[in-house]
Amino acid sequence: MKKLALHWQILIGMLLGVIFGILYNQFNLDPVYVNNWIKPIGTIFISLLKLIAIPLIIASLIKGIADLGDISKFSQIGGRTIGIYIVTTLIAVTIGLVAVNIIQPGDGISEDTVAQLMQTYGQDANVKVNAATNQVKSGPLQFIVDMVPDNIFGAASSNRNMLQVIFFVVFFGISLLLIKPEQAKPLKDFFDSLNEVVLKMVDLIMLIAPVAVFALLASLIVGTTNTELFSALGKYAFAVVAGLLLMLCFYMIVLKMVTGISPGTFLKGISPAQLLAFSTSSSAATLPVTMERVEEHLGVQKEVASFVCPVGATINMDGTSLYQAVAAVFICQALSFELTFADQLTIVLTATLASIGSAAVPGAGMVMLVIVLESVGLPADKLAIGIALIFAVDRPLDMCRTVINISGDATVAMIVAKSVGKLGPPKVKNWDDNLEKTA
Ligand code: ASP
């Protein structure tokens, strides 16, 4: 019998997880069983994915740069990547602003609802506001200073330092290009082999993906309370999701125009990564799978994928910036805080920068939203109220925006690859070949 394709397996796992969670809540069963016996499977899966992120970046980026053969090609790829990332983020924020201004989700939120939300989520909101205050304390060049590590082992010891690791690896890869080929060969062969091993590890981890997403979604739903407040935020959630869907359409149109690849082919190739992004709410945890799909199933050559994807996971968050724009305007509408056209332009700028600064982990976008709200002058005493307002639906929206974050990275990888002649036919024709070979 033909094996069910991976994306269907993951989708079925997700659906079963949701149904299980809802039934569990319906029967008022004790969440402790789910926390003790089901949740750990999801946690282990996320840890496994994070575990191979740094080795994967090191092996594939060094191999990628070494294969390029000359540095000018690398600076071409680097320049285009950053340029296109900034443009797509600006477009995402603009789409968010258009959606929120048309839908006007903040109208009709009563003072009672605000009070109720504040009572329920006020404390959690304060935690986010404080986290944002700590981020702002650094100077304007801190971002660049932070990118240069003073110890590679220190940098590689935390996934949060992804940019530091990328900095070291690019530096290392360029130096490798500058020495004599016969001197470089042993190291190149070593990283070639390491790269193959790490990619095989991704395949092996993906074997448990369907069960793991079941565990992730089941434990998420069992842990969710206060669902009655969801309905008050329906229009706001609709504005975010509508904006995100428009952004996905935008990617597919641009891809068709630039690379000739049809939306169906793109979705078929990237969907396992999208489903994982949805289940984990973390672009960082999804990174190994995003890289593998882009390279093996969408035809982006390693030289491009190994640079564009990890950099994108850290700085390109189109879904997050779009959400920040919608959320900022929604909060101002609901709290009757007037926004001028200039304020909306400020949101474009700050949401773009805030999404670059957001970590690729669950809930990070909300912390940086505080900075966007401050930039339009929302008084300090209203910040926590604003964050409390959107807290109830933040996790589901986080899941959706993370899907767009990784889809944006994949799109840009394909566009950059096309522009430098590095987009070829996918290595894996039948997209589940890899797993079948592994299983
Ligand atoms: N969870 C998002 C990501 O990992 C970041 C965010 O918007 O909170 O891409």
Side-chain angles (χ1 to χ4, degrees), residues 281-283 317 320 359-365 398 401-402 405:
S281 285
S282 167
S283 326
M317 298 201 180
T320 301
V361 294
D398 191 0
R401 64 191 190 241
T402 310
N405 288 347

Side-chain angles (χ1 to χ4, degrees), residues 9-21 34 37-39 41-42 45 208-221 279:
Q9 293 182 33
I10 299 180
L11 210 59
I12 291 171
M14 287 166 69
L15 277 178
L16 290 178
V18 172
I19 295 171
F20 177 89
V34 172
W37 297 100
I38 296 185
K39 199 174 176 187
I41 304 172
F45 178 66
I208 60 158
V211 181
V213 293
F214 168 87
L216 285 168
L217 289 183
S219 45
L220 188 71
I221 294 193
S279 309

Side-chain angles (χ1 to χ4, degrees), residues 61 77-78 80-81 85 287 291 294 300 302-316 408-414 416-417:
L61 193 49
I77 293 175
R80 285 183 195 180
T81 304
Y85 274 158
L287 177 64
M291 280 171 81
V294 161
V300 177
K302 179 173 301 303
E303 298 87 307
V304 176
S306 61
F307 176 75
V308 181
C309 294
V311 170
T314 348
I315 67 165
N316 182 52
D409 299 343
T411 304
V412 175
M414 292 172 80
V416 172

Side-chain angles (χ1 to χ4, degrees), residues 2-10 200 203 206-207 210 268-269 271-272 292-293 296-297 427-439:
K2 204 174 171 303
K3 217 170 150 220
L4 202 59
L6 178 64
H7 61 295
W8 289 120
Q9 293 182 33
I10 299 180
K200 186 49 74 186
D203 290 340
M206 287 304 280
L207 288 175
K268 200 172 168 199
S271 54
E292 198 247 9
R293 300 310 295 187
E296 310 241 313
H297 301 264
K427 280 192 209 147
V428 181
K429 285 271 175 344
N430 175 352
W431 72 314
D432 282 311
D433 278 0
N434 258 7
L435 285 175
E436 293 201 337
K437 268 186 261 148
T438 306

Side-chain angles (χ1 to χ4, degrees), residues 180-198:
K180 290 198 191 103
E182 62 275 19
Q183 289 172 325
K185 191 169 180 313
L187 264 182
K188 274 178 74 174
D189 289 345
F190 170 77
F191 285 111
D192 263 6
S193 167
L194 180 63
N195 185 52
E196 289 305 319
V197 173
V198 182

